Amino acid sequence: MQTNFEAPFLYLLFGRDRALLLDSGAGGLRIRPTVDRLIGEWQRRNGNRPVHLTVAHSHGHGDHVSGDGEFRDRPDTEVVGHTPAQVSAYFRMADWPRDIGHFDLGGRVLDIIPTPGHEPAHIMVYDPGTRLLFSGDMLYPGRLYVPIDHFDEFRESVERLAAFSKSHPIRALLGAHIEMTSVSGQDYPMRAPAHPAEHPLPLPPSAIYELQRAVEHADVPPVIDRHADFILYPRPAHPS
Ligand SMILES: [Zn+2]
Ligand SMILES: [Zn+2]
């Protein structure tokens, strides 16, 4: 919140051989020193094993990719592109968005779930070991922005996500922002510079089914729809 009102969360996941940095942030501060320190600490605890770093993104919006430049010259590091073609190629998905990708960090295989709608290259990442679902900007305690001309695509992603969750136990969803207050259904003003008394970050898996009901019963055209833990927030189509 001190450098950017978007205040996105970044996640760094470790396996035996690789680490995945999910999102590189909104810019305005250097994140690589923190990432390098965390990787160094992990290596010291794990016999100084080499760690190959992948920088991937929940999606290509500026508040999630603006730190990419800090990693382009980092040794043993790959920065994944921002288009659906680049994301599906990197995670070896033949049939975007219907395939589930698999990404092996070494003893820790993540599932990559294409979830376009909020943005064309949006993914969620599921970790079977912790049963955590990293849900990006699609489902978090805040305003879930959906361009109105991509609402059908968003709904289809919600349906596929709901199907995935039937066969994969989920302990909690960890999204990329918090915009809800601790008062049910109440968000902060847009671009609020501080978030006193935030809603907790984790959402229960039941939020998936609540979102599913919300998109299935949405008006045509969809309108802003307030729920206790999130607000479904259709936006005008981007001018082309
Ligand atoms: Zn976004
Ligand atoms: Zn965002």
Side-chain angles (χ1 to χ4, degrees):
M1 297 301 297
Q2 292 180 6
T3 52
N4 190 299
F5 73 92
E6 296 278 12
F9 290 89
L10 320 182
Y11 297 99
L12 182 62
L13 308 180
F14 288 90
R16 221 173 29 242
D17 310 310
R18 289 173 171 268
L20 172 68
L21 176 64
L22 188 62
D23 289 350
S24 64
L29 79 172
R30 294 177 67 224
I31 61 164
R32 183 167 153 190
T34 303
V35 173
D36 286 346
R37 175 175 57 77
L38 291 169
I39 291 174
E41 288 171 4
W42 186 93
Q43 287 178 300
R44 279 191 290 284
R45 288 196 307 271
N46 290 275
N48 291 310
R49 298 177 68 89
V51 175
H52 180 91
L53 176 65
T54 292
V55 180
H57 315 89
S58 61
H59 63 297
H61 283 159
D63 53 321
H64 301 265
V65 304
S66 291
D68 279 12
E70 293 181 71
F71 295 90
R72 295 210 189 280
D73 64 348
R74 189 181 186 279
D76 207 15
T77 299
E78 288 171 282
V79 180
V80 181
H82 305 161
T83 68
Q86 289 169 315
V87 173
S88 59
Y90 188 81
F91 293 114
R92 298 198 178 87
M93 290 181 264
D95 185 21
W96 174 279
R98 282 162 293 275
D99 269 2
I100 304 291
H102 304 286
F103 190 57
D104 190 354
L105 301 178
R108 188 180 188 184
V109 181
L110 306 173
D111 289 328
I112 311 295
I113 311 162
T115 40
H118 170 77
E119 191 269 354
H122 195 287
I123 57 171
M124 287 191 185
V125 175
Y126 175 69
D127 177 24
T130 59
R131 293 177 286 120
L132 291 171
L133 179 66
F134 300 92
S135 54
D137 273 11
M138 181 173 175
L139 184 48
Y140 64 86
R143 295 180 287 266
L144 311 181
Y145 296 117
V146 185
I148 213 158
D149 55 334
H150 289 271
F151 199 84
D152 289 343
E153 194 179 17
F154 184 84
R155 183 193 295 113
E156 286 162 19
S157 288
V158 174
E159 298 294 347
R160 286 195 315 277
L161 175 64
F164 179 90
S165 70
K166 299 280 191 216
S167 53
H168 298 77
I170 295 169
R171 184 163 54 133
L173 283 73
L174 298 178
H177 301 275
I178 298 173
E179 290 149 1
M180 303 303 282
T181 67
S182 50
V183 177
S184 178
Q186 183 62 59
D187 54 337
Y188 296 100
M190 299 265 184
R191 307 178 77 95
H195 284 182
E198 278 184 329
H199 188 295
L201 174 63
L203 286 177
S206 59
I208 295 171
Y209 306 113
E210 185 155 355
L211 179 60
Q212 186 182 25
R213 283 192 296 276
V215 295
E216 282 174 355
H217 298 127
D219 291 346
V220 181
V223 296
I224 293 171
D225 179 14
R226 249 169 226 280
H227 293 251
D229 297 323
F230 62 80
I231 304 171
L232 184 58
Y233 218 100
R235 300 295 296 273
H238 290 296
S240 51

PDB file of all heavy atoms in Angstrom, residues 71-104:
ATOM      1  N   PHE A  71      14.244  -9.407 -13.560  1.00  0.00           N
ATOM      2  CA  PHE A  71      14.634 -10.826 -13.598  1.00  0.00           C
ATOM      3  C   PHE A  71      15.203 -11.253 -14.945  1.00  0.00           C
ATOM      4  O   PHE A  71      15.652 -12.377 -15.100  1.00  0.00           O
ATOM      5  CB  PHE A  71      13.431 -11.706 -13.226  1.00  0.00           C
ATOM      6  CG  PHE A  71      12.994 -11.488 -11.808  1.00  0.00           C
ATOM      7  CD1 PHE A  71      12.042 -10.525 -11.505  1.00  0.00           C
ATOM      8  CD2 PHE A  71      13.582 -12.192 -10.777  1.00  0.00           C
ATOM      9  CE1 PHE A  71      11.670 -10.297 -10.186  1.00  0.00           C
ATOM     10  CE2 PHE A  71      13.219 -11.969  -9.457  1.00  0.00           C
ATOM     11  CZ  PHE A  71      12.258 -11.013  -9.162  1.00  0.00           C
ATOM     12  N   ARG A  72      15.158 -10.347 -15.947  1.00  0.00           N
ATOM     13  CA  ARG A  72      15.559 -10.760 -17.297  1.00  0.00           C
ATOM     14  C   ARG A  72      17.031 -11.138 -17.366  1.00  0.00           C
ATOM     15  O   ARG A  72      17.397 -12.002 -18.146  1.00  0.00           O
ATOM     16  CB  ARG A  72      15.239  -9.651 -18.303  1.00  0.00           C
ATOM     17  CG  ARG A  72      13.744  -9.419 -18.410  1.00  0.00           C
ATOM     18  CD  ARG A  72      13.295  -8.943 -19.775  1.00  0.00           C
ATOM     19  NE  ARG A  72      11.897  -8.536 -19.731  1.00  0.00           N
ATOM     20  CZ  ARG A  72      10.860  -9.374 -19.777  1.00  0.00           C
ATOM     21  NH1 ARG A  72      11.088 -10.672 -19.910  1.00  0.00           N
ATOM     22  NH2 ARG A  72       9.623  -8.928 -19.706  1.00  0.00           N
ATOM     23  N   ASP A  73      17.867 -10.494 -16.552  1.00  0.00           N
ATOM     24  CA  ASP A  73      19.302 -10.811 -16.601  1.00  0.00           C
ATOM     25  C   ASP A  73      19.716 -11.700 -15.419  1.00  0.00           C
ATOM     26  O   ASP A  73      20.902 -11.909 -15.182  1.00  0.00           O
ATOM     27  CB  ASP A  73      20.131  -9.516 -16.587  1.00  0.00           C
ATOM     28  CG  ASP A  73      19.961  -8.732 -15.291  1.00  0.00           C
ATOM     29  OD1 ASP A  73      19.038  -9.052 -14.503  1.00  0.00           O
ATOM     30  OD2 ASP A  73      20.754  -7.789 -15.062  1.00  0.00           O
ATOM     31  N   ARG A  74      18.741 -12.242 -14.712  1.00  0.00           N
ATOM     32  CA  ARG A  74      19.086 -13.094 -13.556  1.00  0.00           C
ATOM     33  C   ARG A  74      19.522 -14.472 -14.053  1.00  0.00           C
ATOM     34  O   ARG A  74      18.850 -15.068 -14.897  1.00  0.00           O
ATOM     35  CB  ARG A  74      17.886 -13.227 -12.614  1.00  0.00           C
ATOM     36  CG  ARG A  74      18.215 -13.906 -11.294  1.00  0.00           C
ATOM     37  CD  ARG A  74      16.952 -14.019 -10.438  1.00  0.00           C
ATOM     38  NE  ARG A  74      17.256 -14.545  -9.113  1.00  0.00           N
ATOM     39  CZ  ARG A  74      17.423 -15.839  -8.840  1.00  0.00           C
ATOM     40  NH1 ARG A  74      17.297 -16.740  -9.803  1.00  0.00           N
ATOM     41  NH2 ARG A  74      17.700 -16.244  -7.615  1.00  0.00           N
ATOM     42  N   PRO A  75      20.645 -14.997 -13.561  1.00  0.00           N
ATOM     43  CA  PRO A  75      21.084 -16.319 -14.012  1.00  0.00           C
ATOM     44  C   PRO A  75      20.048 -17.393 -13.684  1.00  0.00           C
ATOM     45  O   PRO A  75      19.351 -17.290 -12.664  1.00  0.00           O
ATOM     46  CB  PRO A  75      22.375 -16.555 -13.207  1.00  0.00           C
ATOM     47  CG  PRO A  75      22.802 -15.204 -12.736  1.00  0.00           C
ATOM     48  CD  PRO A  75      21.553 -14.388 -12.595  1.00  0.00           C
ATOM     49  N   ASP A  76      20.000 -18.417 -14.547  1.00  0.00           N
ATOM     50  CA  ASP A  76      19.163 -19.589 -14.293  1.00  0.00           C
ATOM     51  C   ASP A  76      17.712 -19.202 -14.006  1.00  0.00           C
ATOM     52  O   ASP A  76      17.081 -19.711 -13.076  1.00  0.00           O
ATOM     53  CB  ASP A  76      19.746 -20.389 -13.115  1.00  0.00           C
ATOM     54  CG  ASP A  76      19.388 -21.869 -13.203  1.00  0.00           C
ATOM     55  OD1 ASP A  76      18.949 -22.303 -14.283  1.00  0.00           O
ATOM     56  OD2 ASP A  76      19.530 -22.575 -12.190  1.00  0.00           O
ATOM     57  N   THR A  77      17.208 -18.283 -14.830  1.00  0.00           N
ATOM     58  CA  THR A  77      15.870 -17.742 -14.613  1.00  0.00           C
ATOM     59  C   THR A  77      15.144 -17.632 -15.942  1.00  0.00           C
ATOM     60  O   THR A  77      15.743 -17.228 -16.942  1.00  0.00           O
ATOM     61  CB  THR A  77      15.968 -16.333 -13.969  1.00  0.00           C
ATOM     62  OG1 THR A  77      16.619 -16.459 -12.709  1.00  0.00           O
ATOM     63  CG2 THR A  77      14.592 -15.692 -13.786  1.00  0.00           C
ATOM     64  N   GLU A  78      13.876 -18.018 -15.945  1.00  0.00           N
ATOM     65  CA  GLU A  78      13.035 -17.825 -17.122  1.00  0.00           C
ATOM     66  C   GLU A  78      11.860 -16.924 -16.748  1.00  0.00           C
ATOM     67  O   GLU A  78      11.259 -17.110 -15.694  1.00  0.00           O
ATOM     68  CB  GLU A  78      12.476 -19.159 -17.611  1.00  0.00           C
ATOM     69  CG  GLU A  78      13.493 -20.063 -18.275  1.00  0.00           C
ATOM     70  CD  GLU A  78      12.909 -21.439 -18.517  1.00  0.00           C
ATOM     71  OE1 GLU A  78      12.833 -22.218 -17.556  1.00  0.00           O
ATOM     72  OE2 GLU A  78      12.520 -21.715 -19.663  1.00  0.00           O
ATOM     73  N   VAL A  79      11.543 -15.985 -17.632  1.00  0.00           N
ATOM     74  CA  VAL A  79      10.387 -15.111 -17.433  1.00  0.00           C
ATOM     75  C   VAL A  79       9.360 -15.477 -18.502  1.00  0.00           C
ATOM     76  O   VAL A  79       9.629 -15.360 -19.702  1.00  0.00           O
ATOM     77  CB  VAL A  79      10.782 -13.622 -17.544  1.00  0.00           C
ATOM     78  CG1 VAL A  79       9.553 -12.728 -17.333  1.00  0.00           C
ATOM     79  CG2 VAL A  79      11.873 -13.279 -16.519  1.00  0.00           C
ATOM     80  N   VAL A  80       8.213 -15.943 -18.060  1.00  0.00           N
ATOM     81  CA  VAL A  80       7.172 -16.400 -18.988  1.00  0.00           C
ATOM     82  C   VAL A  80       6.467 -15.176 -19.589  1.00  0.00           C
ATOM     83  O   VAL A  80       6.254 -14.175 -18.893  1.00  0.00           O
ATOM     84  CB  VAL A  80       6.159 -17.306 -18.252  1.00  0.00           C
ATOM     85  CG1 VAL A  80       5.082 -17.821 -19.202  1.00  0.00           C
ATOM     86  CG2 VAL A  80       6.885 -18.477 -17.582  1.00  0.00           C
ATOM     87  N   GLY A  81       6.114 -15.278 -20.879  1.00  0.00           N
ATOM     88  CA  GLY A  81       5.417 -14.188 -21.549  1.00  0.00           C
ATOM     89  C   GLY A  81       3.993 -14.014 -21.042  1.00  0.00           C
ATOM     90  O   GLY A  81       3.530 -14.753 -20.162  1.00  0.00           O
ATOM     91  N   HIS A  82       3.298 -13.047 -21.627  1.00  0.00           N
ATOM     92  CA  HIS A  82       2.004 -12.626 -21.065  1.00  0.00           C
ATOM     93  C   HIS A  82       0.803 -13.000 -21.926  1.00  0.00           C
ATOM     94  O   HIS A  82      -0.329 -12.665 -21.564  1.00  0.00           O
ATOM     95  CB  HIS A  82       1.992 -11.105 -20.864  1.00  0.00           C
ATOM     96  CG  HIS A  82       3.121 -10.603 -20.024  1.00  0.00           C
ATOM     97  ND1 HIS A  82       3.516  -9.286 -20.021  1.00  0.00           N
ATOM     98  CD2 HIS A  82       3.942 -11.244 -19.146  1.00  0.00           C
ATOM     99  CE1 HIS A  82       4.536  -9.130 -19.191  1.00  0.00           C
ATOM    100  NE2 HIS A  82       4.816 -10.301 -18.656  1.00  0.00           N
ATOM    101  N   THR A  83       1.023 -13.630 -23.079  1.00  0.00           N
ATOM    102  CA  THR A  83      -0.116 -13.971 -23.934  1.00  0.00           C
ATOM    103  C   THR A  83      -0.576 -15.402 -23.652  1.00  0.00           C
ATOM    104  O   THR A  83       0.206 -16.228 -23.159  1.00  0.00           O
ATOM    105  CB  THR A  83       0.262 -13.872 -25.423  1.00  0.00           C
ATOM    106  OG1 THR A  83       1.212 -14.919 -25.715  1.00  0.00           O
ATOM    107  CG2 THR A  83       0.869 -12.517 -25.759  1.00  0.00           C
ATOM    108  N   PRO A  84      -1.834 -15.735 -23.980  1.00  0.00           N
ATOM    109  CA  PRO A  84      -2.278 -17.120 -23.800  1.00  0.00           C
ATOM    110  C   PRO A  84      -1.371 -18.105 -24.537  1.00  0.00           C
ATOM    111  O   PRO A  84      -1.075 -19.192 -24.008  1.00  0.00           O
ATOM    112  CB  PRO A  84      -3.698 -17.118 -24.383  1.00  0.00           C
ATOM    113  CG  PRO A  84      -4.169 -15.708 -24.213  1.00  0.00           C
ATOM    114  CD  PRO A  84      -2.936 -14.849 -24.406  1.00  0.00           C
ATOM    115  N   ALA A  85      -0.900 -17.733 -25.742  1.00  0.00           N
ATOM    116  CA  ALA A  85      -0.029 -18.641 -26.499  1.00  0.00           C
ATOM    117  C   ALA A  85       1.278 -18.886 -25.751  1.00  0.00           C
ATOM    118  O   ALA A  85       1.771 -20.026 -25.680  1.00  0.00           O
ATOM    119  CB  ALA A  85       0.251 -18.058 -27.883  1.00  0.00           C
ATOM    120  N   GLN A  86       1.857 -17.834 -25.182  1.00  0.00           N
ATOM    121  CA  GLN A  86       3.127 -17.989 -24.457  1.00  0.00           C
ATOM    122  C   GLN A  86       2.937 -18.787 -23.165  1.00  0.00           C
ATOM    123  O   GLN A  86       3.763 -19.634 -22.823  1.00  0.00           O
ATOM    124  CB  GLN A  86       3.725 -16.610 -24.150  1.00  0.00           C
ATOM    125  CG  GLN A  86       4.250 -15.906 -25.392  1.00  0.00           C
ATOM    126  CD  GLN A  86       4.584 -14.444 -25.123  1.00  0.00           C
ATOM    127  OE1 GLN A  86       3.818 -13.720 -24.485  1.00  0.00           O
ATOM    128  NE2 GLN A  86       5.734 -14.008 -25.611  1.00  0.00           N
ATOM    129  N   VAL A  87       1.845 -18.524 -22.477  1.00  0.00           N
ATOM    130  CA  VAL A  87       1.595 -19.231 -21.206  1.00  0.00           C
ATOM    131  C   VAL A  87       1.313 -20.709 -21.475  1.00  0.00           C
ATOM    132  O   VAL A  87       1.869 -21.593 -20.816  1.00  0.00           O
ATOM    133  CB  VAL A  87       0.427 -18.564 -20.445  1.00  0.00           C
ATOM    134  CG1 VAL A  87       0.041 -19.382 -19.214  1.00  0.00           C
ATOM    135  CG2 VAL A  87       0.796 -17.135 -20.042  1.00  0.00           C
ATOM    136  N   SER A  88       0.469 -20.983 -22.480  1.00  0.00           N
ATOM    137  CA  SER A  88       0.127 -22.388 -22.745  1.00  0.00           C
ATOM    138  C   SER A  88       1.339 -23.135 -23.293  1.00  0.00           C
ATOM    139  O   SER A  88       1.535 -24.315 -22.995  1.00  0.00           O
ATOM    140  CB  SER A  88      -1.076 -22.499 -23.677  1.00  0.00           C
ATOM    141  OG  SER A  88      -0.835 -21.862 -24.893  1.00  0.00           O
ATOM    142  N   ALA A  89       2.201 -22.465 -24.063  1.00  0.00           N
ATOM    143  CA  ALA A  89       3.414 -23.135 -24.555  1.00  0.00           C
ATOM    144  C   ALA A  89       4.345 -23.454 -23.386  1.00  0.00           C
ATOM    145  O   ALA A  89       4.884 -24.560 -23.296  1.00  0.00           O
ATOM    146  CB  ALA A  89       4.128 -22.255 -25.581  1.00  0.00           C
ATOM    147  N   TYR A  90       4.548 -22.509 -22.485  1.00  0.00           N
ATOM    148  CA  TYR A  90       5.491 -22.731 -21.376  1.00  0.00           C
ATOM    149  C   TYR A  90       5.032 -23.891 -20.498  1.00  0.00           C
ATOM    150  O   TYR A  90       5.841 -24.716 -20.071  1.00  0.00           O
ATOM    151  CB  TYR A  90       5.668 -21.461 -20.534  1.00  0.00           C
ATOM    152  CG  TYR A  90       6.773 -21.621 -19.523  1.00  0.00           C
ATOM    153  CD1 TYR A  90       8.109 -21.461 -19.898  1.00  0.00           C
ATOM    154  CD2 TYR A  90       6.499 -22.000 -18.215  1.00  0.00           C
ATOM    155  CE1 TYR A  90       9.136 -21.656 -18.997  1.00  0.00           C
ATOM    156  CE2 TYR A  90       7.526 -22.203 -17.295  1.00  0.00           C
ATOM    157  CZ  TYR A  90       8.837 -22.027 -17.696  1.00  0.00           C
ATOM    158  OH  TYR A  90       9.856 -22.235 -16.797  1.00  0.00           O
ATOM    159  N   PHE A  91       3.726 -23.946 -20.221  1.00  0.00           N
ATOM    160  CA  PHE A  91       3.214 -24.999 -19.340  1.00  0.00           C
ATOM    161  C   PHE A  91       2.719 -26.219 -20.127  1.00  0.00           C
ATOM    162  O   PHE A  91       2.051 -27.085 -19.584  1.00  0.00           O
ATOM    163  CB  PHE A  91       2.112 -24.445 -18.430  1.00  0.00           C
ATOM    164  CG  PHE A  91       2.627 -23.434 -17.437  1.00  0.00           C
ATOM    165  CD1 PHE A  91       2.245 -22.107 -17.499  1.00  0.00           C
ATOM    166  CD2 PHE A  91       3.522 -23.828 -16.448  1.00  0.00           C
ATOM    167  CE1 PHE A  91       2.732 -21.178 -16.588  1.00  0.00           C
ATOM    168  CE2 PHE A  91       4.008 -22.904 -15.521  1.00  0.00           C
ATOM    169  CZ  PHE A  91       3.613 -21.575 -15.602  1.00  0.00           C
ATOM    170  N   ARG A  92       3.040 -26.263 -21.430  1.00  0.00           N
ATOM    171  CA  ARG A  92       2.766 -27.415 -22.287  1.00  0.00           C
ATOM    172  C   ARG A  92       1.293 -27.819 -22.269  1.00  0.00           C
ATOM    173  O   ARG A  92       0.944 -28.980 -22.046  1.00  0.00           O
ATOM    174  CB  ARG A  92       3.638 -28.616 -21.890  1.00  0.00           C
ATOM    175  CG  ARG A  92       5.123 -28.334 -22.043  1.00  0.00           C
ATOM    176  CD  ARG A  92       5.903 -29.646 -22.066  1.00  0.00           C
ATOM    177  NE  ARG A  92       7.318 -29.412 -22.250  1.00  0.00           N
ATOM    178  CZ  ARG A  92       8.170 -29.173 -21.253  1.00  0.00           C
ATOM    179  NH1 ARG A  92       7.750 -29.166 -20.008  1.00  0.00           N
ATOM    180  NH2 ARG A  92       9.445 -28.971 -21.508  1.00  0.00           N
ATOM    181  N   MET A  93       0.441 -26.824 -22.489  1.00  0.00           N
ATOM    182  CA  MET A  93      -0.988 -27.107 -22.597  1.00  0.00           C
ATOM    183  C   MET A  93      -1.352 -27.093 -24.073  1.00  0.00           C
ATOM    184  O   MET A  93      -1.147 -26.081 -24.752  1.00  0.00           O
ATOM    185  CB  MET A  93      -1.787 -26.059 -21.836  1.00  0.00           C
ATOM    186  CG  MET A  93      -1.627 -26.190 -20.333  1.00  0.00           C
ATOM    187  SD  MET A  93      -2.601 -24.961 -19.444  1.00  0.00           S
ATOM    188  CE  MET A  93      -1.382 -23.695 -19.163  1.00  0.00           C
ATOM    189  N   ALA A  94      -1.893 -28.221 -24.566  1.00  0.00           N
ATOM    190  CA  ALA A  94      -2.192 -28.312 -25.992  1.00  0.00           C
ATOM    191  C   ALA A  94      -3.517 -27.632 -26.320  1.00  0.00           C
ATOM    192  O   ALA A  94      -3.702 -27.114 -27.413  1.00  0.00           O
ATOM    193  CB  ALA A  94      -2.236 -29.780 -26.412  1.00  0.00           C
ATOM    194  N   ASP A  95      -4.425 -27.637 -25.376  1.00  0.00           N
ATOM    195  CA  ASP A  95      -5.786 -27.210 -25.671  1.00  0.00           C
ATOM    196  C   ASP A  95      -6.241 -26.144 -24.672  1.00  0.00           C
ATOM    197  O   ASP A  95      -7.099 -26.384 -23.835  1.00  0.00           O
ATOM    198  CB  ASP A  95      -6.709 -28.453 -25.617  1.00  0.00           C
ATOM    199  CG  ASP A  95      -8.137 -28.123 -26.026  1.00  0.00           C
ATOM    200  OD1 ASP A  95      -8.349 -27.102 -26.709  1.00  0.00           O
ATOM    201  OD2 ASP A  95      -9.043 -28.889 -25.631  1.00  0.00           O
ATOM    202  N   TRP A  96      -5.623 -24.977 -24.732  1.00  0.00           N
ATOM    203  CA  TRP A  96      -6.037 -23.822 -23.928  1.00  0.00           C
ATOM    204  C   TRP A  96      -7.449 -23.427 -24.318  1.00  0.00           C
ATOM    205  O   TRP A  96      -7.712 -23.382 -25.510  1.00  0.00           O
ATOM    206  CB  TRP A  96      -5.059 -22.672 -24.186  1.00  0.00           C
ATOM    207  CG  TRP A  96      -5.431 -21.379 -23.544  1.00  0.00           C
ATOM    208  CD1 TRP A  96      -6.339 -20.458 -24.005  1.00  0.00           C
ATOM    209  CD2 TRP A  96      -4.891 -20.845 -22.331  1.00  0.00           C
ATOM    210  NE1 TRP A  96      -6.394 -19.400 -23.156  1.00  0.00           N
ATOM    211  CE2 TRP A  96      -5.530 -19.603 -22.118  1.00  0.00           C
ATOM    212  CE3 TRP A  96      -3.945 -21.299 -21.402  1.00  0.00           C
ATOM    213  CZ2 TRP A  96      -5.238 -18.804 -21.010  1.00  0.00           C
ATOM    214  CZ3 TRP A  96      -3.660 -20.499 -20.321  1.00  0.00           C
ATOM    215  CH2 TRP A  96      -4.298 -19.268 -20.123  1.00  0.00           C
ATOM    216  N   PRO A  97      -8.361 -23.126 -23.416  1.00  0.00           N
ATOM    217  CA  PRO A  97      -8.214 -23.127 -21.958  1.00  0.00           C
ATOM    218  C   PRO A  97      -8.733 -24.390 -21.288  1.00  0.00           C
ATOM    219  O   PRO A  97      -8.959 -24.374 -20.085  1.00  0.00           O
ATOM    220  CB  PRO A  97      -9.084 -21.929 -21.556  1.00  0.00           C
ATOM    221  CG  PRO A  97     -10.238 -21.986 -22.527  1.00  0.00           C
ATOM    222  CD  PRO A  97      -9.657 -22.521 -23.829  1.00  0.00           C
ATOM    223  N   ARG A  98      -8.905 -25.475 -22.069  1.00  0.00           N
ATOM    224  CA  ARG A  98      -9.519 -26.669 -21.470  1.00  0.00           C
ATOM    225  C   ARG A  98      -8.513 -27.584 -20.774  1.00  0.00           C
ATOM    226  O   ARG A  98      -8.862 -28.327 -19.865  1.00  0.00           O
ATOM    227  CB  ARG A  98     -10.321 -27.449 -22.524  1.00  0.00           C
ATOM    228  CG  ARG A  98     -11.686 -26.828 -22.815  1.00  0.00           C
ATOM    229  CD  ARG A  98     -12.273 -27.297 -24.114  1.00  0.00           C
ATOM    230  NE  ARG A  98     -11.505 -26.822 -25.250  1.00  0.00           N
ATOM    231  CZ  ARG A  98     -11.673 -25.616 -25.820  1.00  0.00           C
ATOM    232  NH1 ARG A  98     -12.603 -24.802 -25.372  1.00  0.00           N
ATOM    233  NH2 ARG A  98     -10.927 -25.235 -26.822  1.00  0.00           N
ATOM    234  N   ASP A  99      -7.246 -27.546 -21.215  1.00  0.00           N
ATOM    235  CA  ASP A  99      -6.230 -28.384 -20.571  1.00  0.00           C
ATOM    236  C   ASP A  99      -5.870 -27.872 -19.178  1.00  0.00           C
ATOM    237  O   ASP A  99      -5.899 -26.671 -18.935  1.00  0.00           O
ATOM    238  CB  ASP A  99      -4.932 -28.354 -21.392  1.00  0.00           C
ATOM    239  CG  ASP A  99      -4.876 -29.469 -22.419  1.00  0.00           C
ATOM    240  OD1 ASP A  99      -5.848 -30.227 -22.510  1.00  0.00           O
ATOM    241  OD2 ASP A  99      -3.845 -29.563 -23.116  1.00  0.00           O
ATOM    242  N   ILE A 100      -5.496 -28.784 -18.299  1.00  0.00           N
ATOM    243  CA  ILE A 100      -4.829 -28.418 -17.048  1.00  0.00           C
ATOM    244  C   ILE A 100      -3.346 -28.678 -17.258  1.00  0.00           C
ATOM    245  O   ILE A 100      -2.953 -29.781 -17.645  1.00  0.00           O
ATOM    246  CB  ILE A 100      -5.346 -29.272 -15.866  1.00  0.00           C
ATOM    247  CG1 ILE A 100      -6.873 -29.162 -15.717  1.00  0.00           C
ATOM    248  CG2 ILE A 100      -4.621 -28.894 -14.574  1.00  0.00           C
ATOM    249  CD1 ILE A 100      -7.362 -27.818 -15.257  1.00  0.00           C
ATOM    250  N   GLY A 101      -2.517 -27.662 -17.030  1.00  0.00           N
ATOM    251  CA  GLY A 101      -1.074 -27.841 -17.150  1.00  0.00           C
ATOM    252  C   GLY A 101      -0.486 -28.399 -15.860  1.00  0.00           C
ATOM    253  O   GLY A 101      -1.116 -28.345 -14.802  1.00  0.00           O
ATOM    254  N   HIS A 102       0.717 -28.957 -15.981  1.00  0.00           N
ATOM    255  CA  HIS A 102       1.408 -29.476 -14.798  1.00  0.00           C
ATOM    256  C   HIS A 102       2.823 -28.902 -14.799  1.00  0.00           C
ATOM    257  O   HIS A 102       3.477 -28.886 -15.839  1.00  0.00           O
ATOM    258  CB  HIS A 102       1.449 -31.002 -14.821  1.00  0.00           C
ATOM    259  CG  HIS A 102       0.081 -31.598 -14.941  1.00  0.00           C
ATOM    260  ND1 HIS A 102      -0.807 -31.618 -13.899  1.00  0.00           N
ATOM    261  CD2 HIS A 102      -0.562 -32.133 -15.998  1.00  0.00           C
ATOM    262  CE1 HIS A 102      -1.942 -32.160 -14.306  1.00  0.00           C
ATOM    263  NE2 HIS A 102      -1.825 -32.488 -15.576  1.00  0.00           N
ATOM    264  N   PHE A 103       3.258 -28.434 -13.647  1.00  0.00           N
ATOM    265  CA  PHE A 103       4.568 -27.804 -13.554  1.00  0.00           C
ATOM    266  C   PHE A 103       5.269 -28.374 -12.327  1.00  0.00           C
ATOM    267  O   PHE A 103       4.825 -28.179 -11.191  1.00  0.00           O
ATOM    268  CB  PHE A 103       4.412 -26.291 -13.444  1.00  0.00           C
ATOM    269  CG  PHE A 103       5.709 -25.542 -13.576  1.00  0.00           C
ATOM    270  CD1 PHE A 103       6.505 -25.704 -14.704  1.00  0.00           C
ATOM    271  CD2 PHE A 103       6.126 -24.669 -12.589  1.00  0.00           C
ATOM    272  CE1 PHE A 103       7.704 -25.012 -14.834  1.00  0.00           C
ATOM    273  CE2 PHE A 103       7.319 -23.972 -12.706  1.00  0.00           C
ATOM    274  CZ  PHE A 103       8.105 -24.143 -13.835  1.00  0.00           C
ATOM    275  N   ASP A 104       6.354 -29.112 -12.599  1.00  0.00           N
ATOM    276  CA  ASP A 104       7.034 -29.856 -11.539  1.00  0.00           C
ATOM    277  C   ASP A 104       8.192 -29.034 -10.976  1.00  0.00           C
ATOM    278  O   ASP A 104       9.176 -28.777 -11.677  1.00  0.00           O
ATOM    279  CB  ASP A 104       7.537 -31.192 -12.105  1.00  0.00           C
ATOM    280  CG  ASP A 104       8.031 -32.130 -11.015  1.00  0.00           C
ATOM    281  OD1 ASP A 104       8.084 -31.715  -9.829  1.00  0.00           O
ATOM    282  OD2 ASP A 104       8.370 -33.282 -11.360  1.00  0.00           O
TER     283      ASP A 104
END
